[in-house]
Amino acid sequence: MQLFVFVRDTDTRFSSDTDFSEDPDGRSANSAKGKGGKKGKKAAGEKGKGGKGAGRINGHHQENGMENMMLFEVVKLGRSAMQSVVDDWIESYKHDRDVALLDLINFFIQCSGCKGVVTGEMFRNMQNSEIIRRMTEEFDEDSGDYPLTIAGPQWKKFKTSFCEFISVLVRQCQYSIIYDEYMMDTVISLLTGLSDSQVRAFRHTSTLAAMKLMTALVNVALNLSINMDNTQRQYEAERNKMVAKRANDRLELLLQKRKELQENQDEIENMMNAIFKGVFVHRYRDSIAEIRAICIEEIGVWMKLYSDAFLNDSYLKYVGWTMHDKQGEVRLKCLTALQGLYHNRELNARLELFTSRFKDRIVSMTLDKEYDVAVQAIKLLTLVLNSTDEVLTPEDCESVYHLVYSAHRPVAVAAGEFLFKKLFSHREPEDEGAPKRRGRQSPNANLIKTTVFFFLESELHEHAAYLVDSLWECGAELLKDWECMISLLLDDPLPGEEALTDRQETALIEIMLCTVRQAAECHPPVGRGTGKRVRSCLFVGLCCLCAYAVDGEKVTNLLQLPQFFDLEIYTTGRLEKHLESLLRQIKEIVEKHTDTEVLESCSKTYHALCNEEFTIFNRVDIARSQLLDELVDKFNRLLEDFLQEGEDADEDDAYQVLSTLKRITAFHNAHDLSGWDLFTSNFKLLNTGIENGDMPEQIVIHSLQCTHYVILWHLAKLSEGSSRKDDLVTLRKQMRAFCMMCQRYLTNVNTAVKEQAFTILCDLLLIFSHQMVSGGREHLEPLVYSPEDSLQSELLSFIMNHVFIDQDDDTNSTDGQQDDEAVKIEALHKRRNLLAAYCKLIIYCVVEMRTGADIFKQYMRYYNDYGDIIKETMSKTRQIDKIQCAKTLILSLQQLFIEMVTELGHGFDRSSSAFCGIKELARRFSLTFGLDQVKTRDAIAMLHKDGIEFAFKEPSPQGEGSPPRNLAFLDILSEFSSKLMRQDKRTVHMYLERFMTFQMALQREDCWLPLISYRNSLQAGGDDDTMSVMSGYSSRGSSVRSKKTKPPVVTESSSSSEVWQQSMQTPVMMPSPHLTSTAMRDPKRARDDSFMGVYPLPHDQQQPHQHPHSQVTWMLAQRQQEEARQQERAMNYAKLRTNLQHAIRRGTGLMEEDEEPIVEDVMMSSEGRMDDLNEGMDFDTMDIDLPPSKNRRERSELKPDYFDPSIMDESVSSIKIRILY
């Protein structure tokens, strides 16, 4: 049946305003064309025909408004039965269709969030486009919320109620009203016009209403189609009767009924065609993702409900195009719509062309960045796989297979279902009468082998737990067939069957272990969420221990199985013999193997079995004690013989000692062996190794580890309960002696031994630090141990020599494996652990924070390897002490600077890579302080203070007149100037000038550029509120006023022209101290007058009349500066011009208000520019237009001044200020 041949004339106005330029197929959607004939819509003037009807509209406008509100409120609340609400409206429509239709129109307007009301006059005399324009004008666009988007409980169900109202309305009107050529035409025309509106609320609401209206009409069309088919069959049956039995009246009646149904079908088709072309074709590509999603969701419903009409390529193409949508919400709707179609296998034939066209896109969506979309894409491919195996190629399937190892569990589970359907759905049929095959002959045998083959071919052998977890929900029955797995491992292969290889057996044992763990714990692997631990009655695989006792890799996995047993089964099931067998097998494995992983698995199994909650505890504890007694006695006997032999000991003796020590160490990790006094024997062994220096490497490593466990277990016992003083003293002696032993081993020639000693030493220092007494453990205070300076120095030296090295210098790799990437990664991982162990000592204040300077200075050079560790260390230290952290950062830069000077000499090029690298490191350090200048205020100020002191600390080796040795460091320090607040820049600048002399300020040579640059960085933005208009003519950083205190009186003996020339010889920087005749005769006194208000000079440089301990407070200095500022505001412009010629400098307060512009302190980059500026400047009429909002904001920032300037004077007395004449 051809659908939608004609479209009813709905008098709609389709605008070309869409969010996309053209259809994906290159054709523009045409607006609805008129059908013509008697079924055309009535003219606008015919709406209100009849005076009675018109009077009811005009006379009941207010009443209608209340009815609209009632209808909207009822739908919003959703409490009443929707059918009764619709029935009431239908009764109103039958009484007066214009009034009822006006109510419905206002209902849609109000559901869009519009406060406007369509009146009867507007309804009669205005077109829909004009009504929508009027409603748009009355729409409150200030608020972006409307009923479909408003959050809150009362709006939570509005969308559902709104959609239900439309569906019920069409269902109740499907037999008469929808065919009256009035109600549906008006509603469709209104919704079409609203869907073309620029207002999102109108567009969203009307699109939802139109799509739900279309869905309801599809249901009506489906019912009509069914009735037409039934009528046609009845007509054919009646006509095929014999003429004598044929009822002509019935034939005529059926023929008339079929004709009416056909006319109704045509009416419905025209309505749907109008909605589809008027709304869907435009809105499925709307700019709003929610609107696009609504369209795609509904077209999927249409194709599923009425597949005969809609399930063809003309409609499927819209879903295929939209699968490329940028929003995951829309892509998700596409996939869910297609799932409803592919789920019905009867529709697969109609989807063949679509599948071949868009299959690649669906496969690519399995890797979608939105996990929900990826999950649904995999599920859709699973449905495609169920329909036919020929559609998906092996490459398509492989792209889904690897997703079983995804960290996102829903994706992995969906991929596991796909894998299970593809590989494991074809089972061998079983005869109903035949006995069930078990073990190797069961139907699951081949499927389990297929699982093993897939696991090995995926080359992700360490991720069996992820594979099992992915298949668990769909293939738990297969994965729990442990009897079959054990049979495959132990039984001989059947005739014609290939036996499993050693690699396949290892993989099968690993998979079996993962299935047992999954069944016992219900716990997904790491990264896939958490689960609840549930013990199951499991008894699997113990018979395999004997068969694979000599294979370390296999037995390591098999030994983990008892950890998941329901241990009560040994007593409730009277299986004590099996327990004895298990303990005997574990003991034999311990005696046979020396591999650390195998021994640790045995230790963990004993630990799981030695649970006091189970009745088997005593039996297992006795077996464990007997095993440990034998091991310790053997170790003491072998160690005594080994030490007595000394240099005469052969390799066999060393191997026996090492193997026994490895077993004891593995057990001591999980079990308390304090009763065997292992400290004495191990300490004796270590001491002998120090004295002789020829102890085998592995013996020393495991002895250090075993002694470490001894101390930790001893501490654990003392921490649990009341401890005797003797025990504390014993542990204190042992701990300190062992720390000294580890310190001595830091100088061992063997790298592995040094690394082990370093790691253990860091752990002990952290455990026995001052923090161990917290949490109510004050009784452990005698155990607190703080490392001495020598130990801190050795630890730091170890880090510098073994961590911060180039990859090629790492000598840990042997046997020519230096180029092996895996070996390099392992070596890097080991070095990262060493660095992290030391950084923890810094973070927890075990070692002094300043030792971190050697770590921080490596931040840039080793950023790829250790950047994250160093950055986190800086962050943690800043949280502990901001000021000390800042001092550590500047110390690291100073160390790098000294190293560079030592290497390149004092005349180095500041453009060299070494110096630029230090500057870049300073920039990176600056970024770590963040944007909150208030929090880091004191720390940044202290950083500048230390940097300034370092720059002027050492005089020039070339004598007076040359820059200080470290003056170039100021160029590095300028990277932190942007982190200073404006008022703090003034403070730091004043502190800088205490180290400067007048002659320094006049220097212009390249060697003095760091000083000039640093001063400019302190001036930039320092006084934004009163910035001079002349700043536009100066170079960068030169247009900042002086920030000195009250200027001294200018005497007449001073030559104004001379002073001006001197002041103009200092471009791009602040002027030097005040130049008066007095200042020239006594420059020292002038400098004292300038800075004594804020910073006290050292006692030997203070004026005689001043008290040695007197110091003006910071706020007092502010008041003095405020008084100076107020005095200067009273000066007229004439005097300002005179002051400019004498280079008078003005001091400003930190809390100054807006004031008249001042131009006497403008700094220029050259004398020529200043002369040009003076010629064109009219000082009497000059004005500055500063943004008041900015001034207000800056004033509010300046008011809370909590900065303590005294921190800048912490070590001033230790620095000699040199004055050059």
Side-chain angles (χ1 to χ4, degrees):
M1 179 180 63
Q2 181 66 31
L3 186 64
F4 302 164
V5 179
F6 301 104
V7 183
R8 175 185 302 278
D9 181 8
T10 57
D11 193 28
T12 57
R13 302 291 188 267
F14 298 119
S15 70
S16 60
D17 176 27
T18 58
D19 300 293
F20 298 86
S21 60
E22 59 181 7
D23 285 339
D25 58 356
R27 295 176 300 172
S28 301
N30 297 324
S31 60
K33 297 180 179 180
K35 180 180 178 181
K38 65 177 182 178
K39 294 184 180 180
K41 183 184 172 184
K42 294 184 178 181
E46 298 178 8
K47 290 182 181 180
K49 273 191 176 181
K52 186 176 179 180
R56 298 177 72 95
I57 294 177
N58 293 331
H60 294 77
H61 172 64
Q62 296 295 332
E63 182 181 352
N64 291 339
M66 290 299 296
E67 291 174 2
N68 292 334
M69 291 300 295
M70 290 294 293
L71 181 60
F72 175 70
E73 290 295 332
V74 169
V75 173
K76 182 181 73 172
L77 296 176
R79 297 176 181 174
S80 303
M82 201 59 65
Q83 183 168 344
S84 63
V85 176
V86 173
D87 290 341
D88 293 341
W89 183 87
I90 293 176
E91 290 298 327
S92 174
Y93 184 83
K94 291 178 179 179
H95 182 71
D96 190 330
R97 63 180 188 177
D98 289 331
V99 174
L101 201 54
L102 184 60
D103 295 342
L104 188 61
I105 291 174
N106 280 309
F107 167 73
F108 287 117
I109 296 297
Q110 291 173 352
C111 288
S112 300
C114 181
K115 303 302 182 182
V117 176
V118 180
T119 64
E121 185 70 21
M122 297 167 58
F123 180 65
R124 288 193 308 272
N125 301 323
M126 298 175 63
Q127 294 294 329
N128 284 332
S129 59
E130 298 175 356
I131 294 175
I132 295 172
R133 188 181 304 112
R134 180 72 62 83
M135 294 298 101
T136 302
E137 294 173 356
E138 299 183 12
F139 200 97
D140 182 15
E141 296 190 35
D142 294 337
S143 174
D145 293 333
Y146 48 96
L148 290 180
T149 60
I150 296 177
Q154 63 175 342
W155 301 101
K156 188 175 182 180
K157 298 181 179 179
F158 174 78
K159 181 179 179 180
T160 303
S161 301
F162 179 71
C163 298
E164 183 184 359
F165 173 80
I166 297 174
S167 178
V168 174
L169 177 65
V170 175
R171 187 176 69 241
Q172 294 300 103
C173 298
Q174 65 177 322
Y175 299 108
S176 61
I177 296 179
I178 62 174
Y179 304 111
D180 67 357
E181 303 179 3
Y182 184 54
M183 189 270 282
M184 290 300 296
D185 290 355
T186 304
V187 172
I188 292 174
S189 176
L190 174 69
L191 295 179
T192 304
L194 288 174
S195 67
D196 232 10
S197 173
Q198 294 295 322
V199 179
R200 171 177 174 170
F202 279 151
R203 207 164 66 250
H204 188 182
T205 307
S206 61
T207 301
L208 176 62
M211 294 299 99
K212 291 300 179 181
L213 182 64
M214 178 79 165
T215 302
L217 292 175
V218 168
N219 282 301
V220 174
L222 182 61
N223 292 334
L224 288 174
S225 178
I226 295 173
N227 291 333
M228 287 180 61
D229 293 341
N230 293 335
T231 304
Q232 182 66 26
R233 283 196 301 270
Q234 293 175 5
Y235 176 79
E236 294 293 338
E238 189 67 25
R239 192 179 64 174
N240 292 333
K241 292 181 181 180
M242 297 177 61
V243 177
K245 296 182 179 181
R246 184 185 304 169
N248 294 328
D249 295 340
R250 178 174 174 79
L251 283 176
E252 185 177 353
L253 182 63
L254 290 173
L255 190 60
Q256 181 65 27
K257 182 179 180 182
R258 188 182 65 175
K259 182 179 179 181
E260 292 178 359
L261 290 174
Q262 183 63 46
E263 291 179 353
N264 292 340
Q265 182 79 355
D266 294 340
E267 289 284 330
I268 297 299
E269 290 178 0
N270 286 326
M271 296 177 194
M272 292 190 296
N273 209 357
I275 296 175
F276 185 83
K277 291 188 176 181
V279 179
F280 178 89
V281 171
H282 295 282
R283 300 279 72 81
Y284 89 96
R285 51 185 187 175
D286 194 279
S287 61
I288 305 302
E290 293 89 337
I291 298 177
R292 302 198 299 271
I294 290 172
C295 295
I296 297 302
E297 181 180 13
E298 293 305 314
I299 197 176
V301 175
W302 307 338
M303 290 186 289
K304 184 178 180 180
L305 287 177
Y306 200 177
S307 58
D308 291 338
F310 288 95
L311 190 56
N312 55 62
D313 297 331
S314 297
Y315 298 98
L316 283 170
K317 64 183 180 181
Y318 295 105
V319 180
W321 291 336
T322 316
M323 284 195 295
H324 297 272
D325 197 280
K326 293 182 179 180
Q327 296 296 323
E329 175 188 1
V330 184
R331 299 195 300 273
L332 186 63
K333 292 297 182 181
C334 295
L335 295 173
T336 53
L338 292 174
Q339 287 177 13
L341 301 177
Y342 281 97
H343 188 74
N344 188 353
R345 293 194 175 186
E346 297 178 357
L347 305 178
N348 290 337
R350 304 181 185 180
L351 293 169
E352 290 181 357
L353 182 60
F354 175 84
T355 304
S356 62
R357 170 65 178 82
F358 293 100
K359 180 200 65 174
D360 294 340
R361 173 55 185 163
I362 298 174
V363 173
S364 66
M365 293 174 74
T366 59
L367 300 176
D368 198 278
K369 63 180 180 179
E370 301 287 344
Y371 286 126
D372 294 340
V373 177
V375 171
Q376 298 305 323
I378 297 172
K379 290 183 178 180
L380 179 58
L381 289 177
T382 305
L383 293 175
V384 174
L385 190 65
N386 290 335
S387 61
T388 174
D389 293 338
E390 300 176 356
V391 175
L392 299 178
T393 63
E395 292 77 13
D396 297 334
C397 296
E398 289 176 2
S399 64
V400 182
Y401 290 161
H402 74 277
L403 295 177
V404 296
Y405 299 103
S406 173
H408 191 263
R409 192 169 190 271
V411 173
V413 171
E417 184 179 357
F418 180 88
L419 176 65
F420 190 82
K421 293 288 184 181
K422 180 65 176 177
L423 300 182
F424 308 135
S425 58
H426 306 290
R427 297 195 178 196
E428 298 179 3
E430 294 188 33
D431 298 334
E432 296 182 357
K436 185 177 181 180
R437 292 178 295 171
R438 305 179 63 179
R440 198 181 190 99
Q441 299 180 354
S442 69
N444 288 336
N446 289 332
L447 301 181
I448 292 175
K449 288 192 291 185
T450 303
T451 306
V452 173
F453 299 155
F454 173 81
F455 175 59
L456 293 176
E457 290 176 0
S458 63
E459 298 182 355
L460 294 170
H461 311 312
E462 299 179 359
H463 298 79
Y466 292 88
L467 174 62
V468 171
D469 182 61
S470 301
L471 295 172
W472 192 256
E473 294 187 5
C474 57
E477 180 182 358
L478 170 66
L479 297 176
K480 285 195 272 189
D481 193 351
W482 297 302
E483 182 181 359
C484 179
M485 296 181 186
I486 295 174
S487 177
L488 289 173
L489 291 171
L490 300 180
D491 298 345
D492 295 331
L494 299 175
E497 180 184 11
E498 294 183 3
L500 295 177
T501 63
D502 180 73
R503 185 164 173 257
Q504 292 170 352
E505 288 179 347
T506 303
L508 178 56
I509 292 175
E510 185 176 356
I511 292 175
M512 182 173 66
L513 169 63
C514 294
T515 58
V516 171
R517 182 189 293 114
Q518 187 82 9
E521 295 184 342
C522 298
H523 185 75
V526 177
R528 285 191 180 176
T530 57
K532 183 178 179 182
R533 183 181 179 90
V534 180
R535 286 282 180 178
S536 301
C537 179
L538 301 172
F539 197 70
V540 181
L542 295 184
C543 52
C544 298
L545 282 175
C546 294
Y548 298 101
V550 295
D551 192 321
E553 186 177 1
K554 296 184 178 67
V555 81
T556 299
N557 289 326
L558 291 172
L559 282 170
Q560 298 181 45
L561 294 175
Q563 301 176 24
F564 308 103
F565 288 172
D566 180 6
L567 299 180
E568 290 292 345
I569 197 174
Y570 283 112
T571 53
T572 58
R574 299 182 179 275
L575 300 175
E576 288 83 359
K577 292 183 179 180
H578 291 278
L579 177 62
E580 294 292 341
S581 175
L582 173 62
L583 295 175
R584 183 173 60 255
Q585 292 178 20
I586 296 177
K587 181 179 180 181
E588 293 176 357
I589 292 172
V590 172
E591 294 173 348
K592 290 180 180 178
H593 288 272
T594 59
D595 185 72
T596 302
E597 293 184 359
V598 177
L599 296 175
E600 288 182 353
S601 296
C602 294
S603 176
K604 292 178 181 178
T605 302
Y606 268 112
H607 183 267
L609 298 176
C610 288
N611 193 331
E612 297 181 359
E613 298 178 358
F614 301 107
T615 55
I616 63 173
F617 169 73
N618 292 331
R619 190 186 300 268
V620 178
D621 185 50
I622 293 173
R624 179 185 61 177
S625 300
Q626 292 176 352
L627 175 61
L628 292 175
D629 283 338
E630 295 176 4
L631 291 176
V632 173
D633 291 343
K634 180 179 179 181
F635 173 70
N636 291 331
R637 184 177 64 258
L638 292 173
L639 179 61
E640 184 177 357
D641 296 340
F642 179 74
L643 296 180
Q644 287 180 355
E645 293 177 1
E647 297 179 357
D648 298 333
D650 55 12
E651 295 182 358
D652 292 338
D653 295 337
Y655 175 78
Q656 291 294 329
V657 173
L658 174 60
S659 59
T660 307
L661 181 59
K662 291 177 67 174
R663 297 185 179 102
I664 294 175
T665 302
F667 273 85
H668 208 350
N669 187 12
H671 304 270
D672 183 9
L673 308 185
S674 302
W676 282 271
D677 189 22
L678 293 171
F679 181 84
T680 303
S681 55
N682 278 281
F683 193 82
K684 183 178 180 180
L685 188 152
L686 294 172
N687 192 41
T688 304
I690 289 291
E691 294 175 352
N692 299 337
D694 57 351
M695 189 67 65
E697 167 190 328
Q698 291 299 318
I699 292 180
V700 174
I701 291 176
H702 285 85
S703 181
L704 288 170
Q705 190 65 54
C706 185
T707 311
H708 181 49
Y709 290 149
V710 171
I711 293 177
L712 294 183
W713 277 108
H714 197 173
L715 176 62
K717 292 179 63 176
L718 295 179
S719 302
E720 291 176 356
S722 58
S723 55
R724 297 182 304 173
K725 184 177 180 181
D726 295 342
D727 295 336
L728 288 174
V729 172
T730 301
L731 178 58
R732 185 172 184 269
K733 291 181 179 180
Q734 291 180 352
M735 181 269 298
R736 291 178 179 268
F738 184 56
C739 287
M740 294 180 61
M741 184 65 68
C742 291
Q743 183 178 358
R744 297 172 67 185
Y745 269 104
L746 287 177
T747 58
N748 193 277
V749 295
N750 191 281
T751 302
V753 172
K754 290 189 288 186
E755 291 177 351
Q756 181 77 343
F758 177 85
T759 304
I760 293 176
L761 191 54
C762 289
D763 289 344
L764 288 177
L765 291 177
L766 189 62
I767 294 172
F768 289 91
S769 65
H770 60 278
Q771 300 186 21
M772 74 178 304
V773 298
S774 59
R777 294 176 294 184
E778 290 77 8
H779 62 284
L780 299 178
E781 187 174 359
L783 299 177
V784 175
Y785 177 62
S786 299
E788 299 177 353
D789 293 341
S790 59
L791 178 56
Q792 296 186 33
S793 177
E794 288 192 39
L795 292 174
L796 182 59
S797 299
F798 178 87
I799 287 293
M800 302 307 297
N801 296 331
H802 293 82
V803 174
F804 296 108
I805 57 176
D806 295 333
Q807 187 74 39
D808 297 336
D809 296 336
D810 189 3
T811 58
N812 294 338
S813 301
T814 56
D815 299 333
Q817 295 179 334
Q818 182 64 37
D819 295 333
D820 188 357
E821 191 66 25
V823 175
K824 290 183 178 181
I825 294 175
E826 182 65 25
L828 176 60
H829 180 67
K830 184 184 298 183
R831 294 196 301 271
R832 284 175 58 86
N833 288 338
L834 295 175
L835 178 60
Y838 183 79
C839 288
K840 284 190 291 185
L841 299 182
I842 299 176
I843 293 173
Y844 290 97
C845 303
V846 178
V847 298
E848 295 182 7
M849 191 180 297
R850 61 179 177 82
T851 61
D854 293 273
I855 306 296
F856 296 161
K857 69 182 182 182
Q858 308 293 340
Y859 181 63
M860 287 293 297
R861 182 178 179 184
Y862 295 94
Y863 180 81
N864 293 332
D865 294 341
Y866 318 116
D868 55 337
I869 299 176
I870 298 176
K871 187 175 182 180
E872 183 65 17
T873 304
M874 287 190 289
S875 176
K876 294 295 184 181
T877 53
R878 185 174 293 112
Q879 296 175 13
I880 297 171
D881 190 338
K882 295 184 178 64
I883 294 179
Q884 188 60 37
C885 176
K887 293 173 73 69
T888 304
L889 292 178
I890 199 64
L891 177 61
S892 64
L893 296 173
Q894 293 170 5
Q895 291 178 357
L896 287 175
F897 184 84
I898 294 174
E899 294 174 2
M900 181 196 65
V901 172
T902 303
E903 181 180 356
L904 302 179
H906 296 286
F908 64 89
D909 184 6
R910 290 198 303 275
S911 63
S912 62
S913 59
F915 186 77
C916 293
I918 302 176
K919 284 200 65 175
E920 176 63 18
L921 179 61
R923 189 185 69 84
R924 294 289 187 95
F925 285 169
S926 176
L927 294 176
T928 61
F929 283 95
L931 300 176
D932 193 343
Q933 293 179 329
V934 176
K935 290 183 178 180
T936 60
R937 188 178 185 185
D938 291 343
I940 292 293
M942 180 58 68
L943 185 145
H944 280 272
K945 171 183 175 295
D946 288 357
I948 292 172
E949 293 173 357
F950 174 77
F952 290 92
K953 184 176 182 180
E954 298 184 16
S956 173
Q958 301 175 3
E960 297 182 356
S962 300
R965 184 190 300 267
N966 301 329
L967 187 68
F969 188 78
L970 294 178
D971 202 3
I972 298 172
L973 190 61
S974 62
E975 296 292 339
F976 298 92
S977 298
S978 61
K979 295 301 179 180
L980 284 168
M981 299 181 71
R982 291 199 314 276
Q983 54 266 46
D984 296 345
K985 287 185 178 181
R986 298 189 183 99
T987 304
V988 174
H989 186 270
M990 292 177 183
Y991 189 74
L992 172 65
E993 292 198 345
R994 300 180 63 180
F995 295 87
M996 294 175 55
T997 64
F998 170 63
Q999 297 298 333
M1000 290 183 182
L1002 299 179
Q1003 299 296 332
R1004 299 274 68 81
E1005 290 81 1
D1006 290 344
C1007 58
W1008 293 94
L1009 287 180
L1011 176 60
I1012 300 173
S1013 175
Y1014 182 55
R1015 295 186 69 186
N1016 289 336
S1017 68
L1018 297 178
Q1019 298 173 33
D1023 200 4
D1024 294 337
D1025 286 345
T1026 57
M1027 185 66 70
S1028 173
V1029 74
M1030 296 184 185
S1031 59
Y1033 297 90
S1034 62
S1035 60
R1036 184 177 63 89
S1038 64
S1039 59
V1040 183
R1041 281 196 294 274
S1042 172
K1043 303 172 182 61
K1044 297 301 178 61
T1045 57
K1046 182 178 179 180
V1049 179
V1050 182
T1051 61
E1052 297 179 356
S1053 60
S1054 175
S1055 173
S1056 60
S1057 60
E1058 180 183 355
V1059 174
W1060 173 256
Q1061 293 296 332
Q1062 291 176 350
S1063 63
M1064 295 317 300
Q1065 292 175 359
T1066 316
V1068 202
M1069 60 180 294
M1070 293 294 294
S1072 57
H1074 310 300
L1075 302 182
T1076 65
S1077 58
T1078 305
M1080 294 299 292
R1081 289 192 298 267
D1082 191 1
K1084 179 178 179 181
R1085 179 177 178 182
R1087 185 165 51 252
D1088 293 345
D1089 294 339
S1090 300
F1091 303 106
M1092 187 56 68
V1094 180
Y1095 297 100
L1097 291 177
H1099 299 314
D1100 56 349
Q1101 297 183 11
Q1102 292 180 355
Q1103 298 183 11
H1105 65 275
Q1106 191 174 11
H1107 192 274
H1109 301 286
S1110 65
Q1111 178 180 357
V1112 182
T1113 62
W1114 177 261
M1115 294 307 298
L1116 179 57
Q1118 304 309 305
R1119 288 195 293 271
Q1120 292 175 349
Q1121 295 175 355
E1122 180 67 17
E1123 293 175 0
R1125 186 189 59 78
Q1126 292 177 358
Q1127 293 176 5
E1128 290 186 348
R1129 289 185 63 181
M1131 301 171 65
N1132 53 37
Y1133 282 106
K1135 188 172 182 178
L1136 292 179
R1137 188 170 185 179
T1138 304
N1139 290 339
L1140 175 62
Q1141 297 173 352
H1142 290 278
I1144 295 179
R1145 306 172 63 195
R1146 179 180 65 89
T1148 57
L1150 293 182
M1151 310 251 184
E1152 61 186 358
E1153 302 292 337
D1154 287 341
E1155 56 185 339
E1156 294 294 328
I1158 300 175
V1159 299
E1160 73 275 17
D1161 55 350
V1162 177
M1163 303 309 303
M1164 301 301 296
S1165 59
S1166 66
E1167 184 176 353
R1169 288 186 180 181
M1170 178 59 77
D1171 294 338
D1172 297 338
L1173 186 60
N1174 291 337
E1175 294 177 1
M1177 182 66 67
D1178 185 0
F1179 294 100
D1180 295 332
T1181 61
M1182 190 183 68
D1183 191 13
I1184 298 177
D1185 185 14
L1186 292 177
S1189 59
K1190 181 178 180 181
N1191 292 337
R1192 288 195 296 270
R1193 175 177 60 81
E1194 293 176 347
R1195 287 199 303 272
S1196 63
E1197 292 176 354
L1198 292 176
K1199 287 180 181 178
D1201 190 357
Y1202 305 108
F1203 177 62
D1204 182 10
S1206 62
I1207 64 173
M1208 304 291 290
D1209 293 304
E1210 186 177 297
S1211 57
V1212 174
S1213 58
S1214 61
I1215 301 177
K1216 203 75 173 177
I1217 301 179
R1218 298 179 55 84
I1219 302 176
L1220 303 179
Y1221 295 94

